[in-house]
Structure formats: C-alpha cells, structure tokens
Amino acid sequence: MSQAMGMDFDTLRQAMADNQEQPEGPARNARSEQLLVEAEKLNIPLAVIEALGHQLKVYNYSSEKDKMFVPFARLLRMWDERPEDFDEYETHSLHWVFKWMSAGMLDQPHIPLASIEKWLGEMEHRYRLAGHSERAVRGAEFSVAAHVGDLARAERAYTAWLAADRDTMADCHACELHSQGWWQAERDADEEALELWRPVLEGEYTCAHEPHTVLASSLLPLLRLGRPDEARAHHLRGFRLVRPMESMRGAYADHVEFCALSGNEARALELLAERPAYFTDSGDPRSKLDFMAVTALLMDRVTELGLGDQPVPGPAGRTWTASGLAVHARGEALSLAALFDARNGTSYVSERARGRMDQRPLVERLPLGVRSRSARQVPRSGSASASASASASASASASASASASAQSSAAVVESGVGSDPSSLSALLAEARRLSATRSPDAVEAWAAVARAAEGRELDVRDRAEIADHAAMERGPEGIELFHEAAELYAEAGDPGEALAARARAAYVLALTGGPEEALATVSELHEGVLALLADGGTGVSQAASVLVGRARILMRLVQEDASEDESGATASVAADSGAAGDEVVRAAEAAVRELLTLAEPHVSDVRMASRAAEARAMLGELAAHAGDAEAAAELLGQAAEAFVAAGLPWFAVEYESRLAGIAGHLGDAEGAERAARAALEHAGPRLEPMGHAQLHLQLAEVLGSTGQSGPAAEHALEAAHWADEAGEGPTLGAWARHQLGGFLLRQGRWAEAAEILESALPDLTADMHGDGAIVQTRWWLGDCLTELGEHRAAAEHWLRAADIAEHWPEQRDHAMLAHLAAEALGHADMPAQAEQAYARAGDLWRSLGNVHGLIRSLRARAWVALRTGSGLDVARELMSAAVRECEEGLRAVPSSVGAEAVEGSDAAEARHRLVAELGHTHRQFGDLVARSVPDDAEEALAHFTQAVSVFASLGDNALDARTGAELAAGWLEADLLRPAAAAARARAVLSAYAGVDGETAEARRAEAENMLGVMEKQRDE
C-alpha cells in the first residue's frame, strides 16, 4: 500500500500492532503479507523476524491456518543460521510457536503422521537445548495420540504432561485447563471436566481464546448432567465471544450442535446463516470436519421435524433443502474424516464423526430467551441479520390447547364406532359426563359425538345437544346453531334448555357488536325462565344458564362504558353516559346478585357452584369498576377459591390473574405473587401458548418488583418462549425479552443480558411497546457492554437512546444518557466525540439546575481536553469553571445558621454534597496539573492543600477523601525537597487512622509509613 512506502522500523512496528487489532480474516492476513515486504526493504534482520512472527500469528488466528508453515520454516532457518539476530522476545516467540506447528500439522491431513512424529522429536530436542521443561512437548504428544485414537499413549502422555514442571513454554493456564477438561469429557467424566474448567469459567484464567472454547466445550456436558440453566447461560455468554472470531469455527460448531440437541433447531439454522464461509473455508480441514458434522446432525433433526423440503442456509452457489444439505454435509464430513484416518492408519476420526452426526436430542425443549424464526422461515446464507429474526420457534413444543385427554379418550371409543350404536351411546354418555362436570374436554368430546353421528338417525334430544355444543365452538357463526338447538330442545319437551340456548345466542350477539339488542332479548328470556321455574317447568340449572347470560351481557355493557370513558368519548356522549352508565352498573349488580341468590343454595352441583363462583367474580369486577380495589380483591379471591373447591381450577385462572394485578396496585406484593403463582399452577397444560406467555410474564413482573430477579428471569424466559410459540415473538415476546434482559442485568449476568436485549431490540417499536421501552433497552445494553469492555458499542446505544429522550418533556434521562455516552467514548479512546457528548450533557445539567452533573461534566471535559490537543490552558479553564460552579452552588444553599441546616435536613444534605464536590474538584485539579506539568509542583500542591481543607470541614464523613489528598500533597512536598512538610502530612494521615480498621485504612497507613521512610532517607542524604 502507498501509505506503507518508505516506513522505518518504528513505523513498521506500529503498523503491525495496528493490524493485530483488526478483525480476524483475509484482510488482516493480506496486510501482514504487505508488511513483510516492507520489512524486507529495511535490511534489518530483526524487522523481518518480527514481520514473519506477526504473519504467523495472524495466519494461526484465521481460516487460513495452512499458510503458517511457510513463515515458520523461514524463521526456523534464520534461527539456525544466525540466532544472534533474534532478541529475547523473538527467541521466546519462536520456541512458543513450535506448539502451534504440531497442532497445525494435525489439522492438515496431507501432512504424514511420520512427519508429525518427527516434528515432536525435533520440538523435544530444541526445547531441551533451550533449557525448557518437557511439559509443552508432552502436551503436544497427548494431542497427537488423542487425535489418532491411541488412547493408552494419550493417557501416558496426559499423565506426563501434568507431572512436568510449568515453565514459560507451557500453554497458559486457561488453555491447559480447557484441554484437560476436554479429555475428561471425552472419557465420559463430565463432572471432572467441569471442575477442571471452573477457574476458566469464573474468570480466574483467561486468554485470547478463553473462556470462549471452554464455554463451547461445556455445553453438552452440562446438558448430559441435567444442568440446562447453566448450559443456556454458557451458550448466550460463549456465542457472544465466538461470533466475531473467524478462527473459532470449531467452537462455533459446538454452539450449533448444542442448539440442535436442545430443541432449538431454528436458532441453529440462524447460526449457520451467519457464517456462510464456514461451509467452504478449507485452510483448517479439522474444524471444517467439525462444522460439517454438526451441520449434518442439524439437518437430520430438521428433516425429522417434517421440514426436509424447507430451504436452509448452506454452501454458496445453489439452493439447499434440509434433506439435501443433510446428505451433502454427511458426505463432506465423512470424506474429510477418511483423509485423516488414511493419514493416521486408524478409523478413529470417522467413528467419532459418525457418532457426532448420529446423536439424539439431550433435552426436548430448552428456551434460550433470544428470538428465532420458525424453521420454515429461516433465512438462507448471506441474508441480512439472520440472527436477529423473529417468530415462532422451530421446535414443536407440547402446545396446550384444549384437550389432549379428551381427544385420546374420545379417540379410543370413536375408533370402534363403525355401525355399532352402543359405541355412539358411549360417546354420548362420556360427553354428557364431561359437560355435567364443566370439563374443558367436553367440547372435543361433543365434536367426537358429532363425527360419529354423521349419517345416523338420532333422537331429537341428542341432535339438540350436538347442535348446542357445536355452536359453542363457532363464535359469531354459532348464533344460528344456538337457535337451531333451542328449537330442537323445545321439540324434545325441554323449554328451559331452549331458553338457555337462546340466552347463549344472545351473549354471542353481545360480544359481536349488538349488546343492546342482546339485552332486550335476554330480558324476555329472563322473565320466561323465571316463570317456568316457578311453575316447575324447568330446573335451577337451566334458569341459572339464562341468568348468567343476562348478567354477562350487562357486564359487557359496563365494560364498554368504561372503555368509552378511557378512550376519551366525545363531549355529548360523555354527558349522556354518566346517568346511563350508573343505571347499567346498578342493573348489572342486581342481575349478578340474583344469579348468586339462585345458585348458592345448590353449590353441591358443580354446575351451580361454577355459577355462584362466577357471580362473585362479577361482583369483584363491579367493585373494581367502582374504584373499590380492596372489595374487588376480596371478591375475586373468593371466586377463585370457589372454583378450585368445586374442582374447576382452570376457571380460577382469569380471576387469579386479575387479583394479582389488583394486589400489586394495593401494594400487597405477597398477595400479588401468591395469586400469580396460583394462576400459573391452575392453568396447567390446557392453556394456549399465549395464555402461558401472559401468565409467566405477569409473575415475572411481580417477582421483579420485589427484587427477586433470579426467579423473575426464569418466568420472563418462559414468557418469551411461549410468546414465540404463539406467533407473538415481535410483540409480547419482545417485551418479555426486554424484561428478561433487565432481570439478568440486575444479577450481573452481563453477556447473557446483552445477548437477550440485542435480540429484543429490533422488535421493539414506539407504537407497540412505547419509546420508553426502547430507551430502557438501549440504556441497559450500554450498561452491559460497558461491563464487557465494549465501550464504543455502549456509547452508540446511549447516544441513540439520548436522541429519543431528547424529545421528552422531562430531560433528566436525556442528560444522564449523554453523560454516560461521553464516559464510554472516553474509554473507547474517542476523546473528540467524548468532548462533544460531555458538552451536551453539561448544557442539559445546567438547564435542569443539576449542579452536580454540571460539575462532573466540566471536570471530565478538562481531562478530555488534554487528549484532544486543546491543551493545559483549556483544561485549567474547565477545572476552574467546575470550582466556580461549586462555589456558586454553595452560595445558593442556606448556610449553617438557622433551622434549615439542622443535620439531616435537605439543606444540610445539599450543602454537604456540594462541599464534597468542591473537595473532589480541587483534588482532580491538582492531579491534572501534576500530571501535565510534573516539573512545576506548586500549582498542583495548592489544589491538593485546598482539597484537604475542604474535606476536613466535613469531618469523619470525608476521612478517606481527605487522607488521599493529604498523601498526594505529601508526595509533592517530597518532590519539592520539603521532607519535613511531607513527613508532617504522613503523620497526619497516621493520626487520622489511629484505631480505624478496614482495607482503606490499612492502605493509607502503609503509604504514610512508606512516605516517612522515604523522607528519612531524603534527610539522611
């Protein structure tokens, strides 16, 4: 490149350092090749050595690992010819990469096994000459033996590896522990593997590729041990690390495999779509074998789900179906395995590949929290943002619609119906039994009756019941069927049931837009059924059916009035609705109480117990409508208890959910949690996926509101899963993921939270979820990314959130986000952008009257000024401005005279905080000057002295801040050759901490003692 022409050695070194920071891949590799050309022009052997080492390193961490043998051979030849050309670092590096060569040779099946064994001997010889331990050599031997399947030799080498001394040639602790744990997992010792990996997983040991590979390797052992929650966490955390690293195809394959074996086939397909080059990159055949093997495994799973003809991501150049790619990937994997086995003289690699491809799922369903398409919607390779897609999950879960038990029992009977009348009678008897017990399975049972009755002669009563129950499934289309059933009931001599069927039709009419007409109809039915009941012409159950229909219709009118009021009805309507609304409420309450009076004496009948319970629930809803939350909670609780007592817990769910919301509103967190848990328990497997999602989300929010973030996260995870199953991933699912991310963040699970929040963000919209949710999600993401060291990305999220909050009436969030973004930009080494963001935040803090935010932004800008070239003068002015803001703020706060300044008062607290801010400002002013003008300590000393004085005025509350400034001043006194003054400051610190315990006290005393020792030495000299 032209910019590299004529570079000197220092420029070359900087260019190599810059290239090292670039993303892994061909572009970085190509740049290393250009830099080697530039190094050769310098005619400096060490420059060429360093450029070759750089090239070797970037090849090793890329998909072109097969290229690293050439620069290494050249380096080794240069070492053999002129070892004096290598400095200490390059000598160490040369011996270090011997290990890369042995591993690299294993990965290339065209390199003969004899050559690899010869290389092991060469490595052992050279390490011995250099005085290194044999630990790295035995580790390399273990890798060779394990690869070829010589398990006895592998065990011997493994033992010798661990027994040898660790020295500077040993792999880092993290890498060694990964390999050791991998071997234990290979030997079916999963517990031992995880124990070996524990220090890496906990962050005690890390490196460029760890904990990345340990997290990936731990996935299946955790599933095998029945620890799915940890496996999920390791996937979310680990995939985030692996995703941007081209060289980690093997670990990437582990994540695909995990998804394929945990019911997350759709997620696995999306991972394939993110890395189309992994299908064809040939520089590392061993990791390609791993990738193609898990691709075959996944495609077999997708085909088993009945989706073999669906398009899937695959190698470029053609359209792939799951079944087609399954065949291709298996063939590729076995062909590669055969090459390794031919080289190794064994069948071990092929056996392992077949075993990997033929695995069965380890768990049926493991929700991950991230959104994913259904398998029918997975994008092909190269499509935009494959991982960010949303919809239902591919893995079919046991969706809980109505009635698995009824379907199975009905099917047993139905299968033998044929022309046997007794079988139809059995179906009728079962359906009537289920109806009498108000079982939700009754609907399917009556459907089975209807199917069995086709073409059969039935009596009129049977036909009436079949029509009645068929109408219940039809929604608006069921009205006519209800009327047909009514006519049949009347023909069968049951006028009460005929009225009940017409009441059911009226209720459907009310639900579909005709409540007034429905009320007029049901009022007539009401009078009729009461007259029949009084004459003994019908039973209490039929009368209750009409009364409950009337009560429901009136409640519907109450709800519609409430909805009109909330939506802002027009003035004329609102003027008329007051009296009319009160009348409807009174009528509804009267109707409900009439139902309750009728039903309560007969609660030994489950149908009547259900009517009485529903009546109490309606009274609870009316109490809530009237604003009496306590009464509403009491009545809804009674209703739920009555349903459960009657053996109808599924009917309690709606009211327990409502009760949870009211209890939360009343501040009864315990009651809210109890009700939400009861709703989830009573819902059971009968609930539709959307119902499961809503109940889990409600419980998650209740638990989250009381600080139970762990359990809340579990339920938010389930909510997200069920929302996806219901096809509501972009709506309720996005909200559940938003909540889940927040709960994970509160537990300090930063990587998991970031992965979930990033998954939620594309689906969150202002119209559906509110712009507050979008701002909060980006805010949380910024927090997570900051903890993960991804400062630039954190700043981007905070700035984008600030742009939304800029338009809010209240500007504190806008100011906070701008300030956070500025801090992140500073950490990302983007000082110019940080200065702009701090200035924006400062203006906002000033407009809000928040002097603390303003002062901190000014101090931060002063430090940034030193990095942007603005210079010390600008930095001084900004620090001086911060001092002035402190002093002006103090003048605006009432002084210590008067009642307002009593300790603990708002004014006293405000003054205390501003004094502390002033002390910190002087302390930072001193630090800034001391670092910028080290030869002139007087100005800095003046600020430190001011800081000491200010902190001293706050007493023991500012002890640590005061002594920190005192010691800083003492060291400056020492620099100014004033040992007595420095010693006095040190003794002042020791005196301040006399009898004080704690880590800070110990550190301050140690520093003060050190200062005294230095001063004594200075005096002696």
Side-chain angles (χ1 to χ4, degrees), residues 659-830:
L659 176 58
I662 293 173
H665 174 73
L666 291 171
D668 179 8
E670 185 177 334
E673 180 180 344
R674 186 167 55 249
R677 288 190 182 279
L680 201 52
E681 176 189 350
H682 293 147
R686 303 177 187 277
L687 201 61
E688 295 286 345
M690 191 60 173
H692 277 294
Q694 291 167 334
L695 290 178
H696 277 291
L697 185 57
Q698 182 181 40
L699 181 53
E701 291 173 342
V702 168
L703 292 167
S705 69
T706 57
Q708 301 178 68
S709 297
E714 294 173 12
H715 288 285
L717 175 70
E718 286 292 326
H721 166 78
W722 285 111
D724 287 345
E725 288 292 305
E728 294 294 333
T731 53
L732 186 69
W735 180 254
R737 278 182 263 278
H738 161 82
Q739 296 281 46
L740 173 59
F743 296 139
L744 292 170
L745 178 143
R746 291 174 207 172
Q747 298 172 69
R749 295 160 66 177
W750 314 111
E752 296 168 66
E755 196 73 10
I756 297 297
L757 292 168
E758 287 173 346
S759 178
L761 194 55
D763 288 327
L764 292 172
T765 66
D767 291 341
M768 176 63 66
H769 306 96
D771 56 10
I774 299 172
V775 167
Q776 184 64 80
T777 299
R778 290 196 181 278
W779 197 322
W780 283 338
L781 260 174
D783 291 339
C784 293
L785 295 171
T786 296
E787 294 290 339
L788 296 170
E790 300 176 37
H791 299 293
R792 185 168 187 164
E796 180 182 348
H797 283 293
W798 280 330
L799 286 173
R800 294 182 68 176
D803 289 342
I804 298 173
E806 182 179 5
H807 305 290
W808 292 356
E810 216 299 312
Q811 288 287 284
R812 186 180 183 281
D813 285 343
H814 182 196
M816 277 294 302
L817 288 162
H819 202 117
L820 288 168
E823 291 178 352
L825 288 165
H827 288 302
D829 198 24
M830 302 172 70

Side-chain angles (χ1 to χ4, degrees), residues 277-453:
Y278 277 173
F279 289 106
T280 52
D281 284 345
S282 59
D284 184 5
R286 195 172 178 184
S287 70
K288 184 178 181 182
L289 165 57
D290 292 335
F291 189 78
M292 298 310 291
V294 301
T295 298
L297 165 69
L298 172 61
M299 294 307 140
D300 285 345
R301 287 290 307 133
V302 174
T303 302
E304 286 178 22
L305 291 172
L307 302 172
D309 294 333
Q310 296 303 310
V312 294
R318 59 168 282 191
T319 299
W320 294 94
T321 63
S323 58
L325 185 57
V327 174
H328 172 79
R330 182 174 287 268
E332 283 276 294
L334 291 176
S335 294
L336 286 166
L339 292 176
F340 282 105
D341 283 342
R343 188 268 303 275
N344 300 339
T346 68
S347 60
Y348 187 67
V349 175
S350 294
E351 291 167 3
R352 283 171 46 80
R354 287 192 180 91
R356 191 169 197 180
M357 291 186 286
D358 294 341
Q359 292 176 97
R360 303 303 303 160
L362 293 169
V363 294
E364 181 180 348
R365 176 183 79 94
L366 178 59
L368 300 178
V370 290
R371 64 183 189 147
S372 64
R373 291 182 184 271
S374 73
R376 296 181 185 274
Q377 298 172 309
V378 170
R380 302 179 189 179
S381 299
S383 65
S385 191
S387 67
S389 50
S391 189
S393 167
S395 41
S397 68
S399 170
S401 71
S403 38
S405 59
Q407 290 176 30
S408 57
S409 61
V412 170
V413 180
E414 192 177 355
S415 63
V417 170
S419 59
D420 183 0
S422 64
S423 297
L424 178 57
S425 297
L427 284 173
L428 276 166
E430 175 66 4
R432 285 170 177 149
R433 183 189 70 79
L434 292 170
S435 292
T437 57
R438 299 220 64 199
S439 169
D441 296 337
V443 173
E444 175 56 31
W446 279 105
V449 170
R451 291 191 295 272

Side-chain angles (χ1 to χ4, degrees), residues 218-256:
S218 71
L219 296 172
L220 296 196
L222 286 168
L223 288 184
R224 290 194 291 261
L225 290 170
R227 293 157 64 176
D229 291 343
E230 292 174 72
R232 176 197 303 112
H234 286 199
H235 169 63
L236 294 176
R237 178 181 162 203
F239 184 69
R240 185 174 189 82
L241 295 172
V242 168
R243 177 187 275 137
M245 301 182 72
E246 184 198 50
S247 64
M248 301 202 71
R249 179 163 55 182
Y252 200 100
D254 290 342
H255 285 277
V256 175

Side-chain angles (χ1 to χ4, degrees), residues 511-748:
L511 292 176
T512 56
E516 290 80 5
E517 181 185 348
L519 180 59
T521 299
V522 83
S523 296
E524 294 180 11
L525 299 173
H526 169 250
E527 292 177 7
V529 82
L530 290 181
L532 269 177
L533 181 64
D535 292 342
T538 193
V540 172
S541 178
Q542 289 79 9
S545 293
V546 176
L547 265 60
V548 78
R550 178 168 174 262
R552 287 171 178 171
I553 291 169
L554 285 162
M555 290 297 295
R556 178 74 178 175
L557 287 167
V558 171
Q559 292 166 1
E560 287 188 355
D561 283 347
S563 297
E564 284 183 5
D565 290 345
E566 289 174 5
S567 63
T570 63
S572 59
V573 174
D576 294 338
S577 66
D582 291 344
E583 184 179 337
V584 169
V585 170
R586 286 193 294 271
E589 183 174 354
V592 172
R593 292 196 180 279
E594 182 182 23
L595 171 63
L596 186 61
T597 300
L598 175 70
E600 271 199 323
H602 308 283
V603 292
S604 57
D605 181 330
V606 67
R607 291 170 295 183
M608 299 307 290
S610 173
R611 300 303 189 204
E614 185 176 354
R616 290 198 181 278
M618 290 179 184
L619 290 174
E621 295 291 351
L622 288 170
H625 176 77
D628 190 346
E630 289 84 357
E634 178 68 22
L635 287 161
L636 290 170
Q638 291 174 5
E641 290 171 5
F643 277 122
V644 174
L648 306 171
W650 48 86
F651 286 124
V653 172
E654 175 185 352
Y655 306 113
E656 286 164 335
S657 177
R658 181 90 167 94
L659 176 58
I662 293 173
H665 174 73
L666 291 171
D668 179 8
E670 185 177 334
E673 180 180 344
R674 186 167 55 249
R677 288 190 182 279
L680 201 52
E681 176 189 350
H682 293 147
R686 303 177 187 277
L687 201 61
E688 295 286 345
M690 191 60 173
H692 277 294
Q694 291 167 334
L695 290 178
H696 277 291
L697 185 57
Q698 182 181 40
L699 181 53
E701 291 173 342
V702 168
L703 292 167
S705 69
T706 57
Q708 301 178 68
S709 297
E714 294 173 12
H715 288 285
L717 175 70
E718 286 292 326
H721 166 78
W722 285 111
D724 287 345
E725 288 292 305
E728 294 294 333
T731 53
L732 186 69
W735 180 254
R737 278 182 263 278
H738 161 82
Q739 296 281 46
L740 173 59
F743 296 139
L744 292 170
L745 178 143
R746 291 174 207 172
Q747 298 172 69

Side-chain angles (χ1 to χ4, degrees), residues 767-1001:
D767 291 341
M768 176 63 66
H769 306 96
D771 56 10
I774 299 172
V775 167
Q776 184 64 80
T777 299
R778 290 196 181 278
W779 197 322
W780 283 338
L781 260 174
D783 291 339
C784 293
L785 295 171
T786 296
E787 294 290 339
L788 296 170
E790 300 176 37
H791 299 293
R792 185 168 187 164
E796 180 182 348
H797 283 293
W798 280 330
L799 286 173
R800 294 182 68 176
D803 289 342
I804 298 173
E806 182 179 5
H807 305 290
W808 292 356
E810 216 299 312
Q811 288 287 284
R812 186 180 183 281
D813 285 343
H814 182 196
M816 277 294 302
L817 288 162
H819 202 117
L820 288 168
E823 291 178 352
L825 288 165
H827 288 302
D829 198 24
M830 302 172 70
Q833 294 87 340
E835 155 62 25
Q836 294 174 1
Y838 275 127
R840 175 182 180 180
D843 290 342
L844 289 165
W845 291 130
R846 187 185 297 279
S847 69
L848 289 166
N850 188 320
V851 67
H852 298 280
L854 174 59
I855 292 164
R856 289 168 189 177
S857 68
L858 288 168
R859 292 199 306 244
R861 289 177 66 193
W863 285 105
V864 169
L866 297 178
R867 300 167 60 195
T868 59
S870 297
L872 182 58
D873 289 342
V874 172
R876 277 197 182 102
E877 176 51 37
L878 287 164
M879 278 293 186
S880 297
V883 171
R884 288 195 300 273
E885 293 294 342
C886 289
E887 293 169 346
E888 290 175 11
L890 283 167
R891 285 194 290 271
V893 176
S895 68
S896 59
V897 179
E900 284 187 310
V902 174
E903 187 172 349
S905 70
D906 290 345
E909 175 63 22
R911 188 170 189 82
H912 183 284
R913 290 184 62 209
L914 279 168
V915 170
E917 206 73 81
L918 178 61
H920 289 301
T921 303
H922 277 298
R923 170 63 198 268
Q924 287 198 34
F925 206 157
D927 285 334
L928 183 144
V929 173
R931 295 182 193 182
S932 304
V933 195
D935 295 334
D936 184 4
E938 290 290 357
E939 180 185 357
L941 180 59
H943 286 292
F944 286 143
T945 302
Q946 278 280 85
V948 171
S949 175
V950 171
F951 286 133
S953 71
L954 296 175
D956 290 342
N957 290 331
L959 175 61
D960 293 341
R962 174 170 67 84
T963 54
E966 190 87 75
L967 288 168
W971 290 117
L972 283 181
E973 301 275 20
D975 290 343
L976 292 167
L977 302 180
R978 300 170 184 167
R985 291 186 184 276
R987 283 191 288 271
V989 170
L990 291 173
S991 175
Y993 282 110
V996 179
D997 295 325
E999 186 176 335
T1000 302

